[in-house]
Amino acid sequence: MKKSIAIDMDGVIADIEPHLIEWYKKETGVALNQDMIKGLGEEEAFSDKEALHKILNTESFFRTAPVMDGAIETVKSLMKEYEIFIVSAAMEFPLSLFEKRAWLQEHFPFISWKNIIFCGDKSIIDTDFMIDDYCKNLDFCKGKPLMFTAYHNIAIDHHERINHWNEVPSLLENHIAKTEKVL
Amino acid sequence: MKKSIAIDMDGVIADIEPHLIEWYKKETGVALNQDMIKGLGEEEAFSDKEALHKILNTESFFRTAPVMDGAIETVKSLMKEYEIFIVSAAMEFPLSLFEKRAWLQEHFPFISWKNIIFCGDKSIIDTDFMIDDYCKNLDFCKGKPLMFTAYHNIAIDHHERINHWNEVPSLLENHIAKTEKVL
């Protein structure tokens, strides 16, 4: 049986960081950049909570997010060896549900609707690997957690890290080889 | 830690069967009733595939489904003892995503967005119990499967069965007591 991987959307296959910076500037006039927000939590980085809330609930915000560099090619190629599930915490923002589904259909049409999960809490998701940018998901996952680097998780060091999608295939292979050796 | 239960929507907390019969009659003129379709698969019971497909993709179909008798009171009461997750295979019908979220908000407002999962394949859902009306979900679930009776599953006998929500609390208690005795 193929090993399974749960892959997050925002900050993992959707490059939400520069997108949010751009929308935040339009909304508040505050020009942030990726260096300025490194290591900060979302609510520290985007400190105007009302503006942040408004953006995240605005139609087309999620629909127009750019794709993370290398994500399409790598995910497509991983599908030959792994069972891929897209697992996104979309439930908090009801408007995002349809938009995220449409975004996936546009950029990742090769992923079946059967392999898409929109949820809140990810603790009941059981896959061999989970690629995510948040500890709230990775700390409780049932498989091997892999942290995709994002501005807000720079200081966290208790998960194996992915800095770019091109690192993923060999990282997974190494992990599987190591596990098989132990067994 | 509380035991967890994954609860399906259509045919379990949403009484989709009479609703579909009603919409099917409006669409095709064919008047079915619950006795006539007992034991038939969905595509046998509603044999005009085009009409069925149209209904399932029509705005407001899922939004206006009635609630299954006893579901609200029982689920609310189960939440004291169990961690409840609503797990619906909503991904096949993108229009249904927002509607199902709104339906839950109306009828089950006490269920947090964190505990709602819209997916395709349910095989990666890991809960102690799963209440569902389809073998495609129950046969592969990681916990104890419980089959909610529906017209299409009458002839199936390899899962413990629920005929009404008022049976659920004692059924769960008995199962837990039995498991603890074995341990």
Side-chain angles (χ1 to χ4, degrees), chain A residues 104-144:
Chain A
L104 285 169
Q105 186 58 37
E106 179 189 347
H107 301 293
F108 294 80
F110 47 86
I111 292 179
S112 158
W113 60 266
K114 292 183 181 167
N115 291 46
I116 301 173
I117 296 103
F118 291 163
C119 57
D121 183 345
K122 296 188 185 179
S123 64
I124 66 166
I125 303 299
D126 184 8
T127 50
D128 296 304
F129 296 93
M130 176 173 277
I131 302 179
D132 206 290
D133 59 336
Y134 275 104
C135 280
K136 65 181 172 193
N137 301 319
L138 295 169
D139 287 354
F140 304 99
C141 82
K142 296 174 198 285
K144 166 74 180 163

Side-chain angles (χ1 to χ4, degrees), chain A residues 72-162:
Chain A
I72 294 175
E73 310 83 283
T74 307
V75 171
K76 200 173 201 171
S77 142
L78 287 174
M79 282 174 71
K80 294 176 207 146
E81 308 271 343
Y82 302 89
E83 184 77 13
I84 301 290
F85 292 93
I86 303 296
V87 181
S88 175
M91 214 49 76
E92 192 174 2
F93 306 106
L95 259 185
S96 77
L97 291 166
F98 186 80
E99 294 200 359
K100 287 193 167 191
R101 178 77 171 80
W103 187 93
L104 285 169
Q105 186 58 37
E106 179 189 347
H107 301 293
F108 294 80
F110 47 86
I111 292 179
S112 158
W113 60 266
K114 292 183 181 167
N115 291 46
I116 301 173
I117 296 103
F118 291 163
C119 57
D121 183 345
K122 296 188 185 179
S123 64
I124 66 166
I125 303 299
D126 184 8
T127 50
D128 296 304
F129 296 93
M130 176 173 277
I131 302 179
D132 206 290
D133 59 336
Y134 275 104
C135 280
K136 65 181 172 193
N137 301 319
L138 295 169
D139 287 354
F140 304 99
C141 82
K142 296 174 198 285
K144 166 74 180 163
L146 297 167
M147 174 165 268
F148 207 94
T149 296
Y151 72 93
H152 57 79
N153 68 30
I154 292 290
I156 291 161
D157 61 5
H158 64 284
H159 289 300
E160 201 164 337
R161 193 173 275 284
I162 297 166

